[in-house]
């Protein structure tokens, strides 16, 4: 497609503008965290000297070692369970005919449709009655349940987008449904699976409301909850709070950077006929 | 090696019956082609044979085993798909090996069988490549190799040549036929291309709307079609038809139309009206003394020059259009008046109501 130089320039200017708008808050926060702890800041500004001391102080004073560990335990477990359960379930819903398939799928979809805020109070009382509050399972189980709604929906759509001849060929070659799924279709589905993993990780890592309701002890407190508590205690220390925010944001950003090619492929799959 | 049998096989999709009481035998080592227009049920029949579609009623036998209840992996058939269906994340080697590995064939034996098949099909240099790095013809060979390597009881091929260009299609037809002759594996081949059917099949089975219209040797189906559909579907260009009145007298049958009269030998079972069919190759521009029936007149409506021959579409009357074959190039143009003749003893007669064949070569 031929595009004139004006159109190309205009496109690049617009993209640069949106990139600046998206990145500016992150850059401001990182720069703020590079200032000495306790510095009074109003707006963006470069520090006199770049220092990681504020990060060390915030890490120690905020107890982020424990917070990040808790978040990692919860997020990794939720992602693992969601992935392991959503892939075969999505495969079944996407490629097989069985009784009540449509009804079951709509039941699973309620996890996406029903607002989580409407479930949190009854969930708290149910979990308290069985001793699951103030525990990792109190965070893992509900988030896994909700993530599976998305995961099954996502993987079903992916498996439906594949040419049925692939499965037919494997079936004639002697493969069972289980072998077809794991040996033929999952390798093809890496971009879609990576996208699901990244999104579920991001949502789980950033989950605040559930942790706020379920967790009152420090041992099981997650990073977003810890950040909120840190901000309450050290609110005037902008560099310190900024450093803490960087800690909480970093894992998701790092994971995205490592998987962005697969993520984009997964998001765009189906938009262009391959 | 076992043959294949369809015994009164029916397939329904809800209210729609895709295959109606199909009964067809394929002998050991035979190459049978299922041919028909889109939607005739040929692919559905093949998929039922492979075990990819359930049978609504009837039986399917491979050898002496009833297989309609068995999953594909227990039928020991190999299938080549129209779009090849190669596993995109696997190399050519792994594509060829997949079926063997699934059946827990020892690694060394897998290597030997894959190498043999790759050398036979000219794929030895491509074993490390992925399907996206192959041309259409190469992918076709890998799909064939995947079937060949398993040494199955039957090859099932679902329009495997449809996505190839014309020249490659001709080459691959010969390749597939040679492969089948070499291996002696019973083969069922589905195509909508009647030229493929005629050139490849030991026998062809013509289907329409789920029904088997006729099956037999290609020359028999071509020269003695069972009805107008088969007559019009097999042959390129197709047979042309005209409704005629029938008079009997003087030991001959007269076929009459306002625009022409033909005489032929007496035939039993024909009423006062019939449909006459003529293949283009049995007509030609009029020549005195050539022993043709005619001359007949018409206006040229179309000219298809193919180099070696020219096919002229001739409107004899508003309800009678024929295709006449001329050798080499033709000087005739659209709208020209044209005289032609018909070879004697080459007419086909069909019942005007049921369209069933009454007589051939009259």
């Amino acid at each position: 497609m031929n595009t004139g130089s004006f159109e190309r320039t205009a496109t690049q200017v617009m993209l640069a503008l949106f990139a600046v708008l998206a990145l500016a808050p992150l850059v401001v926060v990182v720069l703020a965290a590079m200032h000495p702890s306790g510095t009074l800041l109003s707006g963006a500004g470069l520090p006199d000297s770049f220092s990681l001391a504020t990060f060390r102080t915030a890490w120690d004073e905020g107890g982020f070692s424990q917070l990040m560990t808790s978040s990692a335990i919860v997020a990794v477990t939720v992602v693992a369970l969601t992935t392991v359960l959503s892939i075969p379930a999505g495969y079944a819903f996407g490629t097989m005919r069985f009784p009540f398939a449509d009804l079951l799928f709509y039941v699973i979809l309620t996890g996406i449709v029903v607002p989580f805020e409407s479930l949190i109070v009854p969930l708290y009382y149910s979990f308290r009655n069985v001793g699951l509050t103030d525990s990792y399972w109190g965070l893992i189980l509900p988030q896994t349940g909700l993530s599976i709604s998305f995961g099954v929906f996502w993987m079903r759509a992916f498996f439906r987008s594949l040419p049925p001849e692939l499965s037919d060929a494997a079936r004639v070659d002697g493969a069972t449904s289980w072998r077809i799924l794991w040996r033929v279709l999952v390798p093809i589905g890496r971009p879609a699976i990576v996208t699901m993993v990244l999104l579920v990780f991001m949502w789980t890592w950033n989950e605040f409301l559930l942790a706020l309701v379920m967790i009152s002890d420090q041992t099981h407190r997650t990073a977003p909850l810890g950040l909120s508590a840190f901000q309450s205690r050290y609110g005037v220390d902008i560099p310190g709070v900024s450093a803490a925010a960087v800690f909480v944001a970093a894992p998701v950003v790092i994971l995205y950077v490592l998987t962005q090619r697969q993520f984009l492929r997964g998001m765009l799959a189906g938009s262009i006929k391959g | 090696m076992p043959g294949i049998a369809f015994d009164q096989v029916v397939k329904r999709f809800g209210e729609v019956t895709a295959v109606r009481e199909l009964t067809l035998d394929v002998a050991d080592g035979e190459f049978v082609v299922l041919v028909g227009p889109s939607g005739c049920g040929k692919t559905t029949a093949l998929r039922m044979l492979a075990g990819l579609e359930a049978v609504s009623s009837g039986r399917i036998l491979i050898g002496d085993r009833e297989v309609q209840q068995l999953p594909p992996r227990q039928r020991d058939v190999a299938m080549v798909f129209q779009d090849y269906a190669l596993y995109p994340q696997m190399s050519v080697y792994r594509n060829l090996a997949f079926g063997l590995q699934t059946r827990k064939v020892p690694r060394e034996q897998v290597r030997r069988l894959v190498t043999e098949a790759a050398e036979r099909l000219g794929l030895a240099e491509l074993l490390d490549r992925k399907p996206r790095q192959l041309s259409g013809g190469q992918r076709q060979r890998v799909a064939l190799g995947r079937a060949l390597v398993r040494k199955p009881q039957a090859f099932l091929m679902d329009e495997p040549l449809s996505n190839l260009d014309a020249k490659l299609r001709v080459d691959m037809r010969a390749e597939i036929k040679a492969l089948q002759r070499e291996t002696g594996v019973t083969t069922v081949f589905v195509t909508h291309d009647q030229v493929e059917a005629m050139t490849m099949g030991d026998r062809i089975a013509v289907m329409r709307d789920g029904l088997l219209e006729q099956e037999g040797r290609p020359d028999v189906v071509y020269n003695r079609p069972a009805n107008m559909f088969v007559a019009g579907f097999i042959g390129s260009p197709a047979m042309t038809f005209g409704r005629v009145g029938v008079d009997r007298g003087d030991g001959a049958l007269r076929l009459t139309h306002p625009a022409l009269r033909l005489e032929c030998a007496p035939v039993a079972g024909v009423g006062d009206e019939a449909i006459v069919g003529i293949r283009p190759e049995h007509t030609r521009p009029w020549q005195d003394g050539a022993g043709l029936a005619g001359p007949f007149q018409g206006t040229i409506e179309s000219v298809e020059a193919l180099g070696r021959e020219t096919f002229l579409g001739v409107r004899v009357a508003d309800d009678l259009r024929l295709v006449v074959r001329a050798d080499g190039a033709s000087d005739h143009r659209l709208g020209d008046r044209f005289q032609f003749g018909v070879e004697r003893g080459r007419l086909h007669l069909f019942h005007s109501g049921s369209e069933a064949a009454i007589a051939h070569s009259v």
Side-chain angles (χ1 to χ4, degrees):
Chain A
M1 185 177 94
N2 270 330
T3 51
S5 61
F6 172 76
E7 198 176 320
R8 271 200 308 275
T9 308
T11 305
Q12 281 162 0
V13 165
M14 289 298 294
L15 287 172
L17 183 65
F18 279 111
V20 165
L21 287 173
L23 289 173
L26 294 172
V27 170
V28 166
V29 168
V30 171
L31 285 178
M34 298 235 175
H35 286 76
S37 190
T39 308
L40 290 174
L41 293 175
S42 58
L46 289 172
D48 296 330
S49 63
F50 291 91
S51 160
L52 299 178
T54 308
F55 288 100
R56 271 195 295 273
T57 309
W59 182 268
D60 293 334
E61 288 182 5
F64 277 94
S65 174
Q66 176 63 49
L67 295 173
M68 300 290 273
T69 303
S70 294
S71 277
I73 290 171
V74 172
V76 167
T77 309
V78 169
V79 166
L81 287 174
T82 301
T83 305
V84 162
L85 294 173
S86 297
I87 289 174
Y91 175 60
F93 280 112
T95 65
M96 297 178 184
R97 280 191 291 255
F98 52 92
F100 306 112
D102 286 345
L103 177 64
L104 274 172
F105 184 64
Y106 293 135
V107 167
I108 287 175
L109 276 190
T110 54
I112 302 177
V113 167
V114 173
F116 182 59
E117 289 77 3
S118 65
L119 303 173
I120 192 74
V121 172
L123 191 65
Y124 168 76
Y125 285 112
S126 302
F127 274 35
R128 194 184 65 173
N129 290 341
V130 295
L132 280 178
T133 52
D134 283 324
S135 77
Y136 289 135
W137 287 111
L139 299 175
I140 290 169
L141 290 175
Q143 290 186 92
T144 302
L146 293 173
S147 299
I148 284 175
S149 295
F150 167 76
V152 170
F153 169 78
W154 183 256
M155 294 313 302
R156 174 183 180 263
F158 165 71
F159 287 120
R160 280 200 165 183
S161 73
L162 294 177
E165 288 80 19
L166 272 180
S167 298
D168 287 345
R171 215 172 284 284
V172 174
D173 268 346
T176 58
S177 294
W178 190 253
R179 189 175 171 87
I180 293 172
L181 171 62
W182 295 107
R183 297 298 301 273
V184 178
L185 301 184
V186 163
I188 300 171
R190 208 173 299 141
I193 294 169
V194 166
T195 303
M196 179 182 68
V197 162
L198 187 60
L199 289 173
V200 171
F201 181 87
M202 183 180 68
W203 292 329
T204 308
W205 184 272
N206 291 335
E207 175 54 41
F208 180 79
L209 179 62
L210 183 67
L212 182 68
V213 168
M214 292 292 176
I215 307 296
S216 55
D217 73 20
Q218 299 237 14
T219 325
H220 298 95
R221 192 180 277 179
T222 58
L225 200 56
L227 176 62
S228 173
F230 187 88
Q231 193 183 15
S232 305
R233 260 200 339 268
Y234 299 102
V236 294
D237 180 8
I238 302 295
V241 172
S242 300
V246 169
F247 294 142
V248 177
V252 176
V253 171
I254 291 168
L255 189 62
Y256 174 75
V257 166
L258 291 174
T259 59
Q260 61 179 309
R261 194 172 291 178
Q262 301 267 29
F263 176 76
L264 288 171
R265 233 183 264 158
M267 292 298 279
L268 291 173
S271 64
I272 301 165
K273 187 174 170 180
Chain B
M1 232 173 281
I4 289 168
F6 289 89
D7 181 14
Q8 301 273 304
V9 173
V10 175
K11 177 64 184 176
R12 284 182 214 95
F13 293 103
E15 299 291 315
V16 175
T17 304
V19 175
R20 301 167 196 268
E21 295 182 356
L22 175 64
T23 297
L24 176 68
D25 287 340
V26 181
D28 286 357
E30 197 176 23
F31 193 122
V32 166
V33 180
L34 298 182
V35 64
S38 295
C40 71
K42 56 191 187 295
T43 294
T44 305
L46 195 76
R47 287 174 63 83
M48 285 193 286
L49 180 55
L52 298 173
E53 294 285 353
V55 165
S56 299
S57 68
R59 302 185 312 151
I60 297 178
L61 292 96
I62 298 178
D64 50 10
R65 281 194 313 153
E66 265 193 44
V67 301
Q68 67 273 6
Q69 302 292 345
L70 298 180
R73 66 180 179 277
Q74 292 180 17
R75 299 191 187 201
D76 196 21
V77 296
M79 191 156 173
V80 182
F81 294 83
Q82 184 175 355
D83 291 334
Y84 320 133
L86 301 182
Y87 310 124
Q89 302 301 106
M90 297 185 193
S91 64
V92 168
Y93 181 92
R94 288 190 60 213
N95 263 277
L96 297 178
F98 183 81
L100 298 171
Q101 289 166 342
T102 303
R103 284 170 166 76
K104 310 256 189 290
V105 173
R107 189 176 295 187
E108 271 317 303
Q109 198 175 344
V110 170
R111 185 171 296 281
R112 181 177 55 79
L113 289 168
V114 168
T115 309
E116 263 173 33
E119 280 169 3
R120 172 65 184 79
L121 291 166
L123 297 171
E125 304 297 318
L126 305 175
L127 289 174
D128 291 332
R129 291 204 199 167
K130 296 269 173 66
R132 65 176 176 274
Q133 297 169 306
L134 304 176
S135 68
Q138 289 168 336
R139 289 181 201 181
Q140 173 57 265
R141 287 169 186 276
V142 176
L144 276 173
R146 191 169 61 181
L148 185 67
V149 80
R150 282 186 36 217
K151 301 194 195 302
Q153 293 187 351
F155 288 142
L156 310 180
M157 303 195 184
D158 185 8
E159 308 205 46
L161 308 180
S162 298
N163 291 341
L164 302 178
D165 62 66
K167 180 169 185 324
L168 197 50
R169 205 179 302 162
V170 170
D171 293 341
M172 286 307 299
R173 256 188 241 156
E175 179 83 41
I176 289 173
K177 192 67 187 154
L179 210 61
Q180 194 272 337
R181 241 182 273 119
E182 244 174 68
T183 57
V185 174
T186 310
T187 301
V188 180
F189 187 103
V190 160
T191 182
H192 63 271
D193 184 329
Q194 50 94 24
V195 173
E196 254 169 42
M198 294 287 291
T199 55
M200 297 182 76
D202 296 327
R203 275 191 306 134
I204 63 177
V206 184
M207 293 184 69
R208 176 176 60 155
D209 293 338
L211 275 172
L212 178 61
E213 296 283 351
Q214 184 177 6
E215 56 98 358
R217 287 195 340 254
D219 60 314
V220 171
V221 175
Y222 186 83
N223 292 317
R224 305 181 67 78
N227 54 42
M228 277 179 63
F229 169 76
V230 176
F233 187 82
I234 299 292
S236 183
M239 182 184 292
T240 47
F241 304 99
R243 192 174 290 269
V244 294
V246 178
D247 290 334
R248 290 169 193 73
D250 304 331
L253 217 59
R254 278 187 215 91
L255 308 174
T256 59
H257 182 279
L260 60 77
R261 290 166 69 88
L262 288 158
E263 268 194 23
C264 63
V267 164
V270 63
D272 295 331
E273 204 181 48
I275 294 175
V276 66
I278 308 168
R279 292 210 181 273
E281 62 266 28
H282 299 143
T283 62
R284 65 181 96 129
W286 179 255
Q287 264 183 299
D288 287 326
L292 299 174
F296 308 112
Q297 296 245 27
T299 306
I300 293 178
E301 285 192 324
S302 66
V303 178
E304 277 184 23
L306 300 176
R308 185 183 62 190
E309 59 201 351
T310 304
F311 290 103
L312 304 163
V314 181
R315 179 167 56 85
V316 178
D318 286 341
D319 62 342
L320 184 60
R321 285 171 166 80
L322 301 176
V323 175
V324 177
R325 183 190 166 279
D327 280 329
S330 170
D331 293 334
H332 295 98
R333 290 200 184 81
L334 297 180
D336 284 356
R337 289 295 290 171
F338 176 70
Q339 275 193 334
F340 64 95
V342 175
E343 288 179 20
R344 296 181 190 278
R346 297 294 207 171
L347 302 178
H348 302 261
L349 287 180
F350 300 93
H351 195 279
S352 60
S354 68
E355 299 186 352
I358 300 172
H360 304 287
S361 305
V362 295

